[in-house]
Amino acid sequence: MSLLLTVLAFATIPASLPSVLDMGIPCPSTSARGISMGESGFVELTPTGALRNPALSGLLGPGLLVEVSGGTRLTMEKRLRKVYDEFGSSIGESEEAFNRHISTFPGGVSATGSGAVGIPNNVSITAGLYRPYSFCYDYDRMVMDESYVETARERLEVSGRASELALAACFAPSERLLVGLGAGYLFGNRTSRWVVSYVDPTADDVLQVTDTDVSGASARASALYRAGRVAISAGMDYSLSYELTGDEQASVSLPPVFHAGAVYEPGNALRTVFTGECYYSARSDAEREGADMYDRDAWGMSAGVENDLPGGPVGRFGFSYRSSPISRALDRMAFTLGLGFRLGDYSLDVGGSFSPGRWRQVEVPDMVSFDPGDSLVVEESSTTVLLSIGRRFEL
Amino acid sequence: MASSLLLALAVFLWPADRLDLNSASPEEIGALEGVSGEQADSLHRYIYLMGGLENIYQLTEVEGIGPSELEALRRQCILVPPEPDRLPPEVLDVMEKLASEDSPGDAAVAEWENLLVRPLPVNEATSWDLRSLDRVSLVDAAAVERRLRSIGPVSSIRSLRSVENLSYYGYRNMRDFVSTRELDLSSLKLFGSYRMIVEGGAGRDSDEEGYDAALDNLGSALFEMSTGGADYSGSPVDSALLYEQLQASREELLSARGVTGFTHRVSGGLGDRMRGGVRLARGRLSTAGHDLFRDMDMGEVSNRFDQAKAFVSLHHLGPLRQVVLGNYRLALGQGLLVDNSGELMYRRLERPWGLHPDLTSTRQFALTGAAVEARQGPFLGYGFLSSSSRDAILSQNGVPNVPAAMQYRCGRYTDALIETTYGGYCFADLGGILPTGTAVGLGGMSIAYDDSLFPDADYLDVPNDGYYWDCPEYRSLEATDGMTLLGVSGQTVVGPMSLEGELSRQDDGASAFLIASRWQNDYFYLTAAARHYDLGYSNPYCRGFSEQKRYDDTVFEKPYYLTDPLVSQLQEWPTPKPEEGVYLESRFQVSDQVVFPKLYLDVWRSLPYDFDNHRFQGEVEYRADFPVRFRLKYKYQSKTKMHDVVPTTSRTHEYTLRSFFLPFAHDYFDVRLRLGMVELTPNPLYGDDRLLSGGYLSARWEHDFSDRLSVLGGTTLWTTDGMSQWEFEDTGIDFLDGDGTKFYLTFKNALSDNLQLRFRVLRKDTFYPRTGLYRPDPEDQFHYQGDPDSAVRDFGDHVTGYGIRCQLDFRW
């Protein structure tokens, strides 16, 4: 769902706007532990992870576990243009524009409990509010003539976020098998503001503001099987509805997303935990108002490791690869790191991911370049840091 | 053994009704006196995560377990130690070292990794088996064989240390790959491994730059042709057709943009009898589908992979030591007749000798078919047959011009030929009547192509460009539909000295020879090698000792002189340059504090132009105290190469100071400083002396959190003024140009003895100032892409590249 919103955001940018790729940033993880384990979302061993994989809550232990997360994202973007000599050989790339944007965001709040009064020990309930993706992008460029005199200033600001209120339940019919069901209600808002201010007072400035509300509902089902030291899980995410209202009106049909993952605890002095997951979605079947959106099928994988460092905190690192439904040029890898601290019943985790990318505007279909015939290169990097605080209550 | 004794002791000393905590369930622990249900759950969880306890006092780390609980547990419980790991940490360390500085190469690493897991049974090994191990000389191998023949089997590897003429260096390099285990031919124990590698990058890293350069070169050639800058009059090349062909190649390469590289490799076996394996891979930034299961329509599979290899091998079938069906590697003699690795290792005498299954990344030289190794008495024989597709550069008339090993492949040159190769090599071990290690060998090989090769420079050379296209290495190639080669080899070992050599001759009379000799003891070795490669010796499977590759310092390094810039990839052809020379190498340990790790002198003549070259490198290491070492290296090289009709000589001086520290028990620190200068001698075309320089400072720190987890970080700062640098990272060579900084981080985590994870991330920033760009003539101006009328002013090209590599190994 989050990947689709990225597409929708691109498609609704008015013509003549600069091409934008950072709208509708998907957030695979909304807790520090998850993000540091390769941006895991399906086998993220936190209450938020249990919202996405209902069967996972059976691994989180008895009692009530509450977690709150928040974070910050730094996005840097360079736009480059190749320079050629008279023989047509490239001598390098000249920087056209540079943008840096820092945003803070709430990751979410969630709680999972089992063994409470009235709830059998083999049942877990999870509830929470989390942010599956955000709209957050700033772009600023000075337009100059051949004599390098400023003629205009162009700015694009996109803001907003989508949140999901979710509920999940897990039932363990046996020691080895857990099954779960969940549902979520999505709501949010996206605002984009594009301004072109000309130095020449006789030229009309341009201002375009678009305000769009998003809403939708989804259902989830998953199962988890424990085989010795390995827990294997599989599940499906199905979008029941997705609507755009406001300055844009559209109804979107999305294919389901299939997930699979595993948690492996080999048993060693470092109390290592290894997680791996993958997903697949036949995004080529996605439709907007009954019309094909010409997306690619999307898939992704991630892996993460957690170790109890001798005498110190928990150390985590991971890796992820996600293909983009829009263009292969937007496929991304990410490198993640994190630390965790245990203070009695409290846990404090900090984690981060770093994802670089490089693509050409002409490689992304339906993207409008801001100069005709241009083929700027965009180099971008996204650094996300999340902080999570959790507490376990005995019930 | 130790755990079995402990178990026996535990059973003897403790009553049978005591509970083994390491295998108890939460209910069993909860039933103990003095332990509550909640404490039992915590205890069980802790023991589960730790994989078992080795002593009871570890339980004090569990929350809620105090002295009284501990005392109660001591009275009621025992601890049966967990099973020791099958793969000791030292083995994992060696695996890491194989990927480090002075790496032996992809093919060797693959074979030695197998030996680390299933070591060679030393009591049944011969010098043929032992000499294929990393840095084990013929003298070392023969010494061990002599000991086994004269005295009999050894009961421990440690006892090899006292073998006469086996150097400490050789023993140290051998001990991790051999064991006293016996071959078990009746066992059907299944073992195997799965490796997954994902390799990608972002920004402008070196892979991306090479790929962009290939695209730019094609774009530049197209630009020249479209603006009338290229004159093809009088040339057999049809410029209009060439334009279409270059456009098509460019489109095909563009389809590979953004492709992430990945590899899946599965291998396994049954006991010591049978092995098998499959490799499916896609190279980073590679086009897909070519040569994958030739003539088979693989549909989607062809679009996902660009390489497929597989093998099945059977072992110890009477006189047949090994039969391999599928892909195999073969390296015999001195590598002059046959060595089908895909890389040429400069100044290397060692190679993974013999016949091995092949799941390496080698493509152009992969042998596919069947090969057999047989031993009977004093005779060792190899036979092989292969039929594989090969890439080749085609002339515009569709005739194959010359074979090439191409990184950026387009359909036009891909799978242009079918090569059928067969041959054999037979060795007679004369160790029964002459000193152990003495042998002679005779071999032959036939290479046949399904289409004739016609080297023709007129199709490769851009005509009328004012450049005289002279390349004796290429022009000496003759039209052929294959070749037949003969090889003769010999070796002997007398005490601490060995002498070995090989002579190979092509059917057209061209020949090559290599003779090497070595004298060694625990503190010193001296190696001398003499080689000669005729200009016409063009055996594609020759990987003999040499200083340069065949097309180094030739026109193929300049894409703008070629009708098709992709032909410049011929410079990577991994066969020795026609040269002759003498090479001396030594290592000398003066004392415990002072050692000369490596000294070498190479004096060689490049035969195409009869240029004399010299290269000297010396290293001295001083160990002030155990955790501190200093190493100083000096390199001098004088090399002449032909440059636009007039030769150019360069003299290079390079100094490297390196220090190693072990500041704490679990830390390793390494700092390196290099300074280099190149002096170009006066040249009528290029004026007075030119001085180029460059240098870098690098630091590396590795911390072992435990024997299962280590983190390595490295950083480098460099500056160059015309002289690019190279340095060893933890996994290979990196080239440094311009001015810049680099940072990398590597995590090595052995999750269990079955699962290892290695993860690496790198960021490299390089800055190239582009100044003096103003041109008054509009026809001569620099311009922006897509806007030929725009003038460009000075700018700084800031190149940022990222590399990410993830490797997962699973063994069972």
Side-chain angles (χ1 to χ4, degrees):
Chain A
M1 184 185 302
S2 58
L3 296 170
L4 170 66
L5 281 173
T6 308
V7 177
L8 294 175
F10 300 154
T12 56
I13 293 295
S16 82
L17 270 180
S19 53
V20 174
L21 284 182
D22 263 356
M23 296 182 61
I25 305 165
C27 306
S29 317
T30 50
S31 78
R33 187 179 187 187
I35 201 173
S36 56
M37 299 281 280
E39 294 185 325
S40 70
F42 189 67
V43 286
E44 179 185 333
L45 295 171
T46 63
T48 313
L51 291 175
R52 302 186 193 213
N53 180 356
L56 198 72
S57 57
L59 296 184
L60 298 181
L64 176 67
L65 180 60
V66 179
E67 187 177 68
V68 175
S69 303
T72 183
R73 173 178 288 119
L74 167 66
T75 308
M76 293 202 287
E77 181 194 272
K78 269 196 300 188
R79 300 205 174 205
L80 305 160
R81 221 163 159 193
K82 281 200 172 178
V83 176
Y84 289 88
D85 62 19
E86 68 270 32
F87 304 108
S89 298
S90 169
I91 66 162
E93 294 182 351
S94 171
E95 192 174 293
E96 286 277 298
F98 177 79
N99 287 281
R100 187 197 321 235
H101 179 76
I102 296 177
S103 63
T104 56
F105 53 87
V109 55
S110 54
T112 186
S114 70
V117 175
I119 303 175
N121 283 338
N122 60 346
V123 173
S124 307
I125 306 289
T126 309
L129 176 71
Y130 71 101
R131 180 188 55 96
Y133 49 85
S134 67
F135 304 99
C136 193
Y137 180 74
D138 277 0
Y139 178 80
D140 189 285
R141 184 173 79 115
M142 189 190 307
V143 183
M144 294 182 285
D145 63 14
E146 283 183 5
S147 305
Y148 289 83
V149 174
E150 180 180 344
T151 57
R153 196 107 200 171
E154 180 181 35
R155 182 165 181 79
L156 174 69
E157 292 174 5
V158 182
S159 61
R161 71 172 67 94
S163 301
E164 182 172 311
L165 189 62
L167 191 66
C170 169
F171 169 62
S174 75
E175 251 191 51
R176 290 180 180 272
L177 181 66
L178 295 94
V179 292
L181 291 172
Y185 173 68
L186 183 78
F187 59 95
N189 168 266
R190 183 191 76 229
T191 303
S192 70
R193 186 171 182 273
W194 182 58
V195 178
V196 180
S197 306
Y198 292 98
V199 172
D200 181 355
T202 64
D204 292 333
D205 291 349
V206 177
L207 173 64
Q208 278 190 6
V209 180
T210 308
D211 195 33
T212 306
D213 292 323
V214 299
S215 63
S218 60
R220 308 186 170 90
S222 66
L224 187 144
Y225 180 76
R226 278 192 262 222
R229 292 186 171 275
V230 181
I232 302 167
S233 182
M236 187 181 79
D237 235 314
Y238 187 70
S239 171
L240 299 169
S241 70
Y242 187 81
E243 306 291 331
L244 296 174
T245 54
D247 289 340
E248 298 168 56
Q249 300 279 338
S251 177
V252 180
S253 168
L254 293 166
V257 183
F258 299 95
H259 300 269
V263 180
Y264 174 46
E265 294 170 313
N268 55 41
L270 295 179
R271 284 175 272 188
T272 302
V273 178
F274 171 77
T275 64
E277 64 181 64
C278 59
Y279 70 85
Y280 175 80
S281 176
R283 289 294 298 273
S284 53
D285 295 336
E287 291 180 344
R288 176 188 168 100
E289 291 292 304
D292 196 339
M293 294 178 65
Y294 299 103
D295 277 356
R296 304 162 69 218
D297 290 348
W299 67 278
M301 54 160 278
S302 71
V305 182
E306 171 183 292
N307 292 287
D308 271 15
L309 302 178
V314 176
R316 303 181 179 108
F317 69 92
F319 156 84
S320 75
Y321 176 85
R322 296 174 200 281
S323 73
S324 166
I326 303 167
S327 166
R328 190 170 66 199
L330 304 179
D331 293 351
R332 286 288 175 270
M333 285 214 270
F335 168 60
T336 68
L337 276 177
L339 291 173
F341 302 88
R342 302 281 175 264
L343 307 161
D345 289 330
Y346 288 89
S347 64
L348 178 69
D349 297 285
V350 59
S353 75
F354 176 76
S355 177
R358 178 177 159 92
W359 48 278
R360 286 155 183 75
Q361 289 178 281
V362 295
E363 292 176 308
V364 180
D366 298 328
M367 296 296 294
V368 179
S369 304
F370 58 76
D371 280 315
D374 199 277
S375 58
L376 278 194
V377 172
V378 181
E379 278 188 5
E380 59 183 7
S381 68
S382 174
T383 306
T384 305
V385 178
L386 278 171
L387 181 72
S388 296
I389 299 173
R391 192 181 194 279
R392 185 176 290 279
F393 298 89
E394 301 300 329
L395 297 178
Chain B
M1 174 82 154
S3 63
S4 304
L5 283 173
L6 279 169
L7 174 60
L9 195 62
V11 171
F12 177 72
L13 288 179
W14 284 281
D17 57 354
R18 288 204 183 190
L19 181 67
D20 172 25
L21 272 180
N22 279 339
S23 58
S25 67
E27 293 75 25
E28 288 174 324
I29 300 174
L32 296 170
E33 277 182 33
V35 179
S36 69
E38 199 178 303
Q39 288 170 329
D41 286 338
S42 298
L43 274 170
H44 182 264
R45 179 75 185 153
Y46 178 83
I47 294 170
Y48 173 82
L49 288 175
M50 294 289 284
L53 304 177
E54 297 200 340
N55 79 74
I56 199 102
Y57 294 101
Q58 287 179 265
L59 293 177
T60 55
E61 293 181 28
V62 181
E63 200 174 316
I65 300 297
S68 59
E69 288 84 7
L70 187 64
E71 186 54 36
L73 289 165
R74 283 184 61 202
R75 275 189 285 106
Q76 301 172 80
C77 302
I78 59 171
L79 287 177
V80 176
E83 251 190 62
D85 295 330
R86 282 165 290 168
L87 264 187
E90 301 80 58
V91 172
L92 300 169
D93 279 344
V94 175
M95 285 186 179
E96 291 303 317
K97 286 193 179 69
L98 288 178
S100 67
E101 181 170 334
D102 222 10
S103 168
D106 187 16
V109 170
E111 180 56 26
W112 296 332
E113 278 184 356
N114 289 333
L115 287 173
L116 284 172
V117 178
R118 294 188 70 79
L120 192 68
V122 70
N123 290 319
E124 300 183 43
T126 64
S127 58
W128 303 111
D129 303 313
L130 295 169
R131 68 170 307 172
S132 69
L133 302 178
D134 181 28
R135 286 167 240 210
V136 173
S137 68
L138 177 59
V139 176
D140 294 324
V144 173
E145 184 178 354
R146 190 181 310 117
R147 155 68 176 83
L148 294 171
R149 280 189 185 185
S150 58
I151 300 177
V154 295
S155 57
S156 78
I157 297 302
R158 226 182 272 272
S159 60
L160 290 176
R161 181 65 193 96
S162 58
V163 169
E164 190 182 358
N165 293 319
L166 172 63
S167 67
Y168 174 72
Y169 198 56
Y171 163 74
R172 196 187 70 193
N173 293 332
M174 186 188 296
R175 66 186 175 190
D176 295 314
F177 301 100
V178 297
S179 77
T180 52
R181 76 180 184 98
E182 291 181 7
L183 277 178
D184 187 357
L185 301 179
S186 60
S187 166
L188 292 178
K189 188 176 178 185
L190 178 69
F191 66 92
S193 69
Y194 166 71
R195 169 171 289 178
M196 182 190 75
I197 300 174
V198 178
E199 195 156 23
R204 289 161 66 193
D205 62 357
S206 53
D207 286 346
E208 180 89 13
E209 294 238 278
Y211 174 77
D212 275 349
L215 284 171
D216 277 348
N217 290 332
L218 282 169
S220 180
L222 288 165
F223 178 85
E224 275 284 285
M225 296 176 77
S226 65
T227 56
D231 176 10
Y232 280 84
S233 57
S235 164
V237 175
D238 178 344
S239 59
L241 177 60
L242 177 65
Y243 190 88
E244 286 177 17
Q245 288 172 334
L246 295 183
Q247 268 192 325
S249 296
R250 190 162 190 275
E251 288 302 315
E252 193 168 349
L253 285 191
L254 279 172
S255 71
R257 188 180 292 288
V259 166
T260 298
F262 60 86
T263 302
H264 298 284
R265 192 187 79 183
V266 178
S267 62
L270 289 172
D272 285 316
R273 277 277 193 211
M274 185 172 159
R275 305 252 174 104
V278 175
R279 173 194 167 104
L280 289 172
R282 175 89 185 253
R284 197 176 159 221
L285 302 170
S286 71
T287 55
H290 302 298
D291 91 3
L292 199 65
F293 305 118
R294 193 176 74 234
D295 299 329
M296 293 169 62
D297 180 8
M298 298 300 294
E300 267 298 305
V301 175
S302 292
N303 290 333
R304 293 198 190 279
F305 304 105
D306 69 350
Q307 189 184 51
K309 282 187 170 177
F311 76 91
V312 171
S313 65
L314 302 169
H315 302 260
H316 307 290
L317 303 170
L320 294 179
R321 279 281 302 242
Q322 193 178 177
V323 177
V324 183
L325 302 172
N327 290 106
Y328 57 90
R329 282 212 58 256
L330 192 61
L332 301 170
Q334 301 299 315
L336 267 59
L337 180 69
V338 60
D339 180 347
N340 72 323
S341 70
E343 64 225 331
L344 179 66
M345 307 291 290
Y346 299 122
R347 294 180 299 281
R348 282 255 184 191
L349 285 164
E350 305 91 5
R351 69 197 67 255
W353 208 93
L355 171 66
H356 308 281
D358 180 17
L359 292 181
T360 65
S361 57
T362 303
R363 181 201 310 283
Q364 177 70 358
F365 305 96
L367 293 173
T368 311
V372 62
E373 173 188 340
R375 286 191 200 181
Q376 188 68 43
F379 297 102
L380 169 67
Y382 295 86
F384 56 96
L385 169 68
S386 165
S387 175
S388 306
S389 60
R390 295 287 182 246
D391 295 349
I393 292 164
L394 302 182
S395 300
Q396 197 181 60
N397 56 10
V399 175
N401 193 304
V402 60
M406 308 179 86
Q407 180 180 4
Y408 306 111
R409 307 168 75 210
C410 63
R412 195 151 55 96
Y413 299 143
T414 302
D415 304 333
L417 297 168
I418 305 295
E419 177 191 288
T420 303
T421 305
Y422 63 87
Y425 219 129
C426 182
F427 299 91
D429 184 350
L430 304 176
I433 50 174
L434 292 173
T436 305
T438 304
V440 293
L442 178 67
M445 181 167 68
S446 168
I447 303 171
Y449 301 108
D450 66 335
D451 200 353
S452 299
L453 289 160
F454 282 95
D456 189 343
D458 288 342
Y459 283 101
L460 304 185
D461 176 22
V462 173
N464 309 310
D465 61 353
Y467 175 72
Y468 177 63
W469 205 93
D470 183 34
C471 182
E473 295 89 336
Y474 174 81
R475 292 191 185 275
S476 64
L477 300 176
E478 295 180 356
T480 181
D481 55 6
M483 63 178 67
T484 305
L485 300 115
L486 287 176
V488 173
S489 65
Q491 62 184 57
T492 187
V493 179
V494 179
M497 183 168 151
S498 69
L499 180 68
E500 53 188 323
E502 186 175 25
L503 168 70
S504 177
R505 188 179 170 85
Q506 249 167 232
D507 50 0
D508 62 359
S511 64
F513 74 79
L514 172 66
I515 300 172
S517 176
R518 181 181 175 102
W519 192 97
Q520 68 175 48
N521 64 21
D522 275 352
Y523 306 102
F524 172 81
Y525 75 74
L526 177 66
T527 296
R531 80 272 191 190
H532 174 96
Y533 303 99
D534 278 349
L535 186 60
Y537 188 76
S538 57
N539 176 12
Y541 294 105
C542 177
R543 302 285 179 273
F545 179 101
S546 74
E547 180 66 39
Q548 290 183 278
K549 290 197 287 268
R550 185 176 185 90
Y551 297 106
D552 278 350
D553 299 336
T554 68
V555 65
F556 292 103
E557 290 182 345
K558 300 176 176 60
Y560 39 87
Y561 289 143
L562 304 168
T563 54
D564 183 352
L566 291 180
V567 172
S568 66
Q569 295 180 86
L570 193 60
Q571 63 181 298
E572 297 304 324
W573 188 250
T575 59
K577 195 171 192 63
E579 62 181 41
E580 60 183 12
V582 174
Y583 175 81
L584 297 170
E585 180 185 305
S586 179
R587 180 182 187 276
F588 181 34
Q589 181 155 354
V590 178
S591 67
D592 285 344
Q593 281 80 36
V594 179
V595 63
F596 291 90
K598 194 171 185 178
L599 298 159
Y600 72 77
L601 172 68
D602 196 3
V603 179
W604 79 100
R605 171 173 295 177
S606 174
L607 295 184
Y609 294 102
D610 279 340
F611 291 146
D612 288 323
N613 305 297
H614 312 87
R615 183 184 175 110
F616 168 77
Q617 181 170 306
E619 295 178 39
V620 59
E621 182 176 297
Y622 174 63
R623 189 171 297 198
D625 197 355
F626 169 67
V628 180
R629 282 188 289 157
F630 297 97
R631 188 181 288 187
L632 178 65
K633 182 164 82 175
Y634 169 69
K635 185 185 93 177
Y636 168 78
Q637 176 174 280
S638 169
K639 199 165 93 166
T640 302
K641 66 177 184 179
M642 185 56 73
H643 198 148
D644 293 347
V645 181
V646 182
T648 303
T649 299
S650 65
R651 292 197 182 87
T652 303
H653 302 268
E654 196 173 270
Y655 304 86
T656 308
L657 176 65
R658 191 176 173 191
S659 60
F660 314 77
F661 299 92
L662 294 169
F664 310 105
H666 302 289
D667 291 90
Y668 171 82
F669 194 62
D670 177 358
V671 178
R672 205 180 303 209
L673 173 67
R674 176 171 291 175
L675 298 168
M677 290 169 290
V678 178
E679 178 192 335
L680 298 177
T681 55
N683 182 302
L685 278 177
Y686 295 102
D688 298 336
D689 286 2
R690 284 199 63 216
L691 188 67
L692 312 174
S693 63
Y696 69 82
L697 173 66
S698 74
R700 202 166 87 177
W701 176 48
E702 183 167 357
H703 179 72
D704 290 336
F705 287 97
S706 78
D707 56 4
R708 293 285 175 183
L709 173 67
S710 66
V711 178
L712 165 68
T715 185
T716 304
L717 298 92
W718 69 91
T719 179
T720 65
D721 179 20
M723 179 187 183
S724 60
Q725 297 292 311
W726 57 267
E727 67 151 354
F728 282 109
E729 291 176 349
D730 57 334
T731 54
I733 297 174
D734 185 31
F735 289 93
L736 313 172
D737 203 358
D739 302 325
T741 60
K742 179 172 66 171
F743 170 73
Y744 62 89
L745 204 58
T746 302
F747 294 85
K748 295 176 275 186
N749 201 170
L751 307 178
S752 66
D753 60 344
N754 299 105
L755 190 62
Q756 286 92 40
L757 182 68
R758 185 189 174 101
F759 182 65
R760 185 172 191 269
V761 63
L762 172 145
R763 172 179 167 142
K764 184 176 176 184
D765 288 274
T766 311
F767 182 73
Y768 302 92
R770 304 293 185 204
T771 57
L773 298 185
Y774 176 69
R775 297 282 188 274
D777 180 0
E779 294 293 319
D780 199 26
Q781 272 180 356
F782 294 91
H783 62 273
Y784 290 111
Q785 181 175 7
D787 192 358
D789 297 326
S790 64
V792 176
R793 293 191 178 179
D794 295 351
F795 69 98
D797 190 7
H798 187 179
V799 179
T800 302
Y802 300 93
I804 298 177
R805 187 174 196 272
C806 180
Q807 178 175 318
L808 190 74
D809 283 285
F810 177 62
R811 290 190 168 81
W812 63 90

